[in-house]
Amino acid sequence: HRSPKKIMDVGGNGGGLPVNNKQRAMLPNKSRGEFTRNLRKDSEGLSESPDLEFEYADTDKWAAELSELYSYTEGPEFALNRKCFEEEFRAHVSDKKWTELDADQHRAHAMRLLDSLEVIAREKRLKVARAILYMAQGTFGECSSEAEVQHWMRYNIFLLLDVGTFSALVELLNMEIDNSAACSSAVRKPAISLADSTDLRVLLNIMYLMVETIQQEDPADKPEWRIIRETFRTELGSPLFNNEPISVMLFGMVTKFCSGHAPHFPMKKVLLLLWKSILFTLGGFEQLQSIKVQKREELGLPPLPEDSIRVIRSMRAASPPASASDLIEQQQKRARREHKALIKQDNLDAFNEKDPYKADDSREDEDDNDDNDNSIEAETFPLERDEVMPPPIPHPPSERVSFPKGLPWAPKVREKDIENFLESSRSKFIGYTLGNDTDTVVGLPRPIHESIKTLKQHKYVSIAEIQIIKEEEYQKTPLSGGEEEVIMCATELLYQGILPSLPQYMIALLKILLAAAPTSKAKTDSINILADVLPEEMPTTVLQSMKLGVDVNRHKEIIVKAISAILLLLLKHFKLNHIYQFEYMAQHLVFANCIPLILKFFNQNIMSYITAKNSISVLDFPYCVVHELPELTAESLEAGDNNQFCWRNLFSCINLLRILNKLTKWKHSRTMMLVVFKSAPILKRALKVKQAMMQLYVLKLLKVQTKYLGRQWRKSNMKTMSAIYQKVRHRLNDDWAYGNDLDARPWDFQAEECALRANIERFNSRRYDKSHSNPDFLPVDNCLQSVLGQRVDLPEDFQMNYDLWLEREVFSKPISWEELLQ
């Protein structure tokens, strides 16, 4: 029943190198040696490589975020925008340059452009929109450096926002979304290109540039700009546009695109604008940390034991697990050693008998390693280590001994863990239990007292636990519990906006993520996400094809980056706002197969994904509009930049791992899904990336499933086990490293998810479903005068037949008043 072990190739189809003994024996000796040498070279390059100098943040540098908005196929439109602006400018203003005018003249021209947007003729409107886009792009024709372009971008965008451009753009965008003629013509077209989304792209470009520029804080900003910025942030998150926050409108575009009714929507731009709107209105990771600290204070909880962002930034990466080449070499040396009769066979047998923990034959263990474990890793036994490894280089004694400075995280214990520990101790030593009592320690030995004291010292109560307890109280006592005070922050407004269609939004985002994942094969039924990257005329030369290939790959990477950031931000903000908002979103992601999708994403050569060079730096904005473009050749395209890694791809990988952690944490049935989908070998390959934060989230995912992977897996992966111990937070009485009491933990996915769903639905109906509120809980009017004094409108037919009703319902029915009174 075991599947053959292969090392995954880039495509993830597993058709690579044979690594078990039979397959290896089939290789000719010469090729075996060459093959091991080549592999050793590769693995040395990997294991000896330094840590990646990557700093995880909310976004990349401003210039990188601006350049990712445009596809390389959009390059010629920069000049077109400039032409449209200059025609308008010369028609109304003297021959002066834009940069030479004063503030009043700037304002007057911006107002004039805004008025011209409100024309019926589509061509005229598009021209004006392009002129506004050129302003938002920093009137680059008059600038000589990238810094100058960025200065004028900031100035022009605050000016445009001040005169009310954003609201006008939202109205135009709504018109384009509802433009049924454009939708129906796009649906009928066999191939959609850049030209089909021109109007939408221009509008989304301006809106993105405005949101992205204004959310960047600059210490040199004028005081009035800071006021404008805060007002804009509040407006974006409030239901001012069509009675819904801007993010809800963009989510609507995503679902319309995925349903197939609007295949011409430029999805990358929509997703980027959606991400930046959520980031700006709700806040990034630093704001999340400060909101968490503030909420804990309000609830009277002790402060956080540490700032997780700082802890992770100070961590170093662990060296990746041994590669297949090292193992093959080890096995060959071991085979050679067997031929040399250095030790008598009976001594070896005696040693094996003496040590019950020594495996009979370590080679068998390796061959019998975890099903489909593609990156095999084994620790040599202490006796063999000196023979397999080169002799150590002598060091002065002071250098040789270096103890770790301690574990990076403060340990945590849940109330439930203390209860379980006390229950088991009481039943063991006294023979009875006391339920939820965590204080009575009568009759328990002193070491147990010490243990309880230590557990209580490290007890951690989360905001979520308090919210769950409060929600149970509201459900139990709907009348005496009082009205819940819901703070209308941006997160709450967004949740209320997306609540009715949240399942559809999650399915749509995951569909696009699947289409953009590098491991996905092109299927006829998958959605086309390349509408805003393919040119009208397909490339005719090799150079054009190469450029388009880079553009398409880059386009997909940017989409993955945006979706992973959107999902992570929403999960984190909803979890802080209310645990059941988070659970509602998380459950719909799980139901939409998010867990296998993320594992599918990681089932590739993750090092080559992280070091991918899918960008042409000379074509990036704003470089391309300030400098003369060099002649592009196949060599210059292949060269790429000389960065150690691709920022956006590493960012996406970490986000997806964090999402997977959020979905599976404390959920037994979802942890078992990781085991069932054989995630261990996939995750272990991701440890090859020498970046501390990424390794931490991989190790967390491995830790939760370690006890279900079997003793053999744990024995063969001791390096990984050590890394988990060193880097992941400890739960004091969590036996993650041992497979104890597994039979006592059956898992019923449906029962667990149904129980959670019932809680979520009760929360949503209590808080948001005002139309179906329980009639038993509505206030009752008991005053006779006011009840009789109410005006009741009776229907006409009742008034006409009133005497008949009296006869039938009152006079003809005998009433026994005595019985009624009793």
Side-chain angles (χ1 to χ4, degrees), residues 109 148 368 396:
H109 189 63
E148 207 178 333
D368 205 37

Side-chain angles (χ1 to χ4, degrees), residues 567-582:
L567 292 175
L568 181 62
L569 274 175
L570 287 179
L571 285 169
K572 284 189 81 67
H573 276 285
F574 287 159
K575 189 168 186 183
L576 261 185
N577 199 46
H578 200 291
I579 183 66
Y580 284 131
Q581 295 178 349
F582 160 81

Side-chain angles (χ1 to χ4, degrees), residues 20-124:
N20 65 19
N21 287 337
K22 282 180 191 167
Q23 288 170 312
R24 200 178 303 108
M26 289 159 73
L27 282 172
N29 284 340
K30 184 183 172 204
S31 66
R32 229 183 300 171
E34 275 175 21
F35 155 78
T36 311
R37 270 197 303 280
N38 293 342
L39 253 177
R40 198 181 315 133
K41 277 182 205 162
D42 296 345
S43 68
E44 277 166 12
L46 275 179
S47 55
E48 296 306 315
S49 61
D51 284 14
L52 300 182
E53 294 299 320
F54 169 82
E55 190 164 312
Y56 184 76
D58 294 312
T59 61
D60 202 348
K61 293 183 180 70
W62 191 34
E65 294 295 340
L66 293 182
S67 70
E68 287 181 0
L69 174 64
Y70 311 101
S71 305
Y72 296 141
T73 37
E74 282 181 273
E77 294 189 16
F78 290 124
L80 185 57
N81 299 341
R82 180 180 176 179
K83 185 169 163 248
C84 292
F85 174 82
E86 285 174 353
E87 282 174 11
E88 286 279 330
F89 193 61
R90 289 203 190 95
H92 298 99
V93 188
S94 62
D95 290 338
K96 277 187 173 181
K97 286 183 172 180
W98 172 260
T99 49
E100 293 167 358
L101 301 182
D102 61 24
D104 293 337
Q105 290 170 306
H106 282 152
R107 192 177 180 82
H109 189 63
M111 303 268 286
R112 196 179 298 117
L113 283 175
L114 193 55
D115 290 341
S116 313
L117 260 187
E118 295 176 12
V119 292
I120 296 170
R122 179 177 281 274
E123 289 76 22
K124 171 79 176 137

Side-chain angles (χ1 to χ4, degrees), residues 211-267:
V211 172
E212 174 59 19
T213 305
I214 291 165
Q215 79 153 345
Q216 299 278 343
E217 286 190 73
D218 190 339
D221 282 352
K222 304 174 208 167
E224 59 265 31
W225 281 11
R226 287 184 189 161
I227 296 164
I228 291 172
R229 182 175 185 273
E230 286 311 309
T231 312
F232 183 51
R233 183 211 288 269
T234 313
E235 284 176 359
L236 266 190
S238 308
L240 292 182
F241 310 102
N242 298 352
N243 299 324
E244 59 188 15
I246 194 83
S247 306
V248 179
M249 180 178 140
L250 295 168
F251 266 123
M253 287 183 80
V254 174
T255 43
K256 194 171 181 184
F257 170 80
C258 282
S259 64
H261 297 311
H264 65 300
F265 281 1
M267 222 2 72

